Each structure stands twice: as C-alpha cells, then as structure tokens.
C-alpha cells in the first residue's frame, strides 16, 4: 500500500489492516510523519513531531504483533494530540508562553489508556492559548490554518487537532470541549468529533480550564473512529474523583444497530435563530437522509435557553480566572491580549452569580429532558449557524468586538456543555465557497451509543466524511 493510500485510511480501518498484517505499524508511522511534515508547513498545526521515538515504538508494535501479542483495538495506530495532555517529563505548552518550559509531572489518564489500547503518539498539536479561544488563533505559536482554505479559521481551541485530522496528517487526535472546542474544529475542518457526557472521561493530567464544563474527547475521520477511541478512554479513574463510575458500553458492538424508528428531534427555535440560509438548507437535507433511513423526525419546542447560555459564560469565566489567578498576579504580561482580557472579565464575576449559574444547571437539565428527551431520542441541530469566517475577520483582542465574536461562535455549542450532555458533530456537506459545515446530535446523559449509531448510519448513507482537502 502506498503512503498516499495509507494516510487516507480511517483509524478503525488502519487498525484492522495492521492486525491482519496488510501493512505494518512502521509503514503507517512513516507515511503519517512524512505527511505531517508537509502539512505543517502550510497549516501550522503541529507543535512537535517526535519522529525517532515514534518510529521506535512502531517497530516495537510490529515485533509484538509478530509474536501474536495485540495490545488492544488501536494496536499500532499513530496519533498526535492537543498540547494540553501531559506526558511525564515532556513539555506541554498548552499553547502558551507561560508553560513552554515546564515538564509535566505525570501522564494524563487519557494518554495512558490510549497507550494501553495500542495507539502510538507521534506528536503534539497546536491549540488556542490555554484552550481559551474558539477561533484557533494563537499569538505565541502562530495561528493554525484551515486545510480547506488557509485564509479561514480552524475553530478552537482544538485547532491543530481538527486541521491535522482533516489534512490526513494524523489518524485521530484528542481535543477538549468546554464551550465547543471539539465540535467547532470538527465543523470548520470537516471531521467528526464527540463531546462526551461531562465526567464520562477522566481529566487527570489534562490542563484545566473550567472544572464544571471541561470534557475530553477525540476528533477523527469518522463516527466509527470516535466510537473506537471513546471506548478506549472512557470510564472511572482513581486519579480523578469526578470521573463517572457509570458503566462504559461496547460502543463498537452497538454502532450498526438499526435506526429505523429512532425519534430525531429538530428544534423550533434557538438553534435556527438568524441561521445562514445555505446552512439551514444543508440541515434540512441531512434530516431528509434520516427520514429515508427510517427515522422519525419530530419538531420539538425548546425551553428558553438564553439564560443558560449566559450562566454558562459566567461559570467558565469565573472558573478560568480562578485557575489562572496566580499567573494573572505574577505573569500577566505573558498572556496574549485576548486571553488576558477574558481572564480579567472572569475576575469580575460576582460569587453569587457564579453560584446561581451552578444551581441552574440541574433545573435546566430537567426542563430540557422534559421538553426534548420525553419526546425524542436524539436532538439534531446545526453546530454553527454561519459561514466559516476568515482569520483576519476574527483577529480580535479585547473589548466589545471580542465578546460579540466569541459569543456568536459558541452560541450553539455552549448549551451542550452547560447541560453536561453528549454531543456528536459530523459532516453535513459543503457551502458554495467549498468549506465544510456540520450538524450536531445531542443525546441523553451517558447515551453516546445512540449518537454513534445515528451518526454512523448517516455516514454509511453519505460520502461527506470521505472528502479530503487537496
């Protein structure tokens, strides 16, 4: 198999090819590292590529397979990850100037679980500074660029994750999602991404931003890949008391379950307020696919979500400011203007407003479940409601413009974080300017399996996920 053909494989198909010895882990690693080097020159999506260590690990994986030893379902699959997942002794800059010389004291649980499943990390990926930016701009490491058109944003904060996976420079990548930071890059770069239920995946060893909202999840070529990787990293963790004890189902076994009769909700308001007409048309086309697959599409009336959106912003702002309190006092000059301005806003959030926001979450989830999940199994909605902006259009610092741009970009993703619900973003077509767009499927707590089944069925019936940037 040629290197060009290898990098086009999904993570799941690559894992099957390695296990069946159609190709070696070393072949895959050499192909993706060569591709990553080419892509990085144009997209600035990598922070570091660990060529020699990764090739040695790939040769070891091949030797183990030759002896009949398979580490797990991702044996030999190369991956790079967002530069906020700590590996003991290595530097994780978190996209910042402040942490660029700080070796990690321990290894993130998500990385340990991927290691145990057989995946091989070969590099780390660019990201928004401290994961606090939804556009993908980074004023320390340089802005990451969209592989479909480098003048446009990737979305953030998992910018390098979205760009590298779309450009076939990594088979999959971990991202993080606090207000949309997996789903936004998945949308703008044209890949799949899952924000799991809050607490579904351990956050030990992952840079914190907002304790009440942070989630860990993958970006990948396909929904099947997302299911495979989430199955590897989900579950309880003694090093993270917030990680749920809820059993992890066999996502892969449930992937192909029929969706005939599945009740898919489409919202009357909020998600379609002031939406771009072309994107609305693509959403309706995706719903028509579901109708043809036998799903029942039902219109649902959502509760008033604007107060939830405001509460989510206050919670994230306050918790981020608290996490950065010491550096804000001792090293304020080492933040970019935009991130420093956002953290300063968080310092001004009253404790009563923060606590009111936290108390509202349970009430909001009950109201949402009553209006939505009592009537449908999955909610279908756009991930963003506007055309992908350029890097120049969203190159902002502080002030009113910053607040307006950042709030509009995350308006449709942030409610999923506030409610703690699983949200799957997947490709739904291309706009006239040749850039991808996406839908998100929102499910009941811990029912990622339903999202995977619905998303996989859609991808089996369409070819959007097979498209790659030239």
């Amino acid at each position: 198999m040629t290197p060009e053909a290898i990098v086009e494989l999904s993570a799941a198909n690559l894992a099957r090819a390695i296990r069946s010895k159609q190709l070696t882990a070393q072949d895959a690693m050499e192909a993706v590292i060569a591709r990553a080097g080419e892509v990085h020159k144009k997209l600035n999506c990598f922070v570091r590529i660990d060529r020699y260590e990764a090739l040695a690990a790939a040769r070891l994986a091949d030797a183990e397979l030759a002896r009949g030893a398979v580490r797990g379902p991702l044996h030999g699959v190369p991956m790079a990850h967002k530069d906020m997942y700590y590996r003991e002794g290595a530097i994780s800059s978190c996209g910042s100037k402040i942490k660029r010389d700080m070796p990690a004291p321990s290894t993130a649980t998500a990385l340990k679980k991927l290691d145990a499943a057989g995946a091989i990390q070969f590099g780390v990926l660019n990201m928004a500074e401290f994961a606090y930016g939804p556009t993908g701009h980074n004023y320390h490491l340089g802005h990451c660029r969209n592989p479909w058109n480098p003048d446009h944003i990737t979305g953030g904060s998992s910018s390098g994750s979205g760009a590298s996976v779309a450009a076939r420079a990594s088979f999959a990548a971990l991202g993080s999602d606090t207000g949309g930071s997996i789903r936004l890059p998945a949308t703008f770069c044209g890949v799949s991404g899952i924000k799991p239920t809050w607490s579904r995946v351990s956050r030990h060893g992952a840079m914190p931003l907002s304790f009440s909202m942070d989630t860990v999840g993958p970006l990948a070529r396909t929904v099947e890949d997302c299911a495979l990787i989430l199955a590897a990293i989900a579950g309880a963790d003694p090093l993270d008391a917030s990680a749920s004890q809820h059993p992890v189902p066999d996502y892969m076994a449930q992937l192909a379950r029929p969706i005939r009769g599945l009740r898919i909700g489409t919202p009357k308001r909020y998600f379609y307020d002031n939406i771009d007409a072309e994107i609305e048309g693509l959403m309706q086309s995706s719903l028509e696919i579901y109708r043809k697959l036998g799903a029942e599409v039902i219109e649902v009336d959502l509760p008033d979500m604007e107060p939830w959106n405001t509460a989510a912003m206050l919670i994230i702002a306050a918790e981020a400011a608290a996490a950065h309190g010491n550096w804000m006092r001792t090293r304020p000059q080492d933040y970019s203007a935009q991130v420093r301005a956002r953290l300063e806003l968080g310092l001004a959030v009253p404790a009563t407003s923060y606590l009111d926001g936290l108390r509202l979450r349970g009430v909001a989830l009950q109201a949402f479940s009553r209006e939505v999940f009592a009537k449908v199994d999955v909610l279908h909605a756009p991930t963003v409601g506007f055309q992908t902006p350029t890097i120049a259009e969203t190159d902002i610092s502080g002030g009113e413009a910053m607040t307006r741009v950042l709030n509009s970009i995350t308006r449709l993703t942030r409610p999923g974080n506030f409610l703690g619900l699983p949200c799957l973003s997947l490709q739904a077509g291309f706009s006239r300017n040749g850039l991808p767009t996406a839908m998100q499927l929102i499910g009941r707590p811990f029912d990622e399996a339903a999202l995977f089944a619905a998303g996989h069925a859609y991808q089996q019936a369409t070819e959007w996920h097979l498209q790659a940037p030239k």
Side-chain angles (χ1 to χ4, degrees), residues 374-400:
K375 302 168 185 175
V376 299
D377 305 304
V378 169
L379 184 70
H380 172 290
T383 313
V384 295
F386 51 85
Q387 300 284 343
T388 306
T390 66
I391 291 173
E393 288 169 342
T394 50
D395 192 355
I396 51 177
S397 54
E400 184 180 344

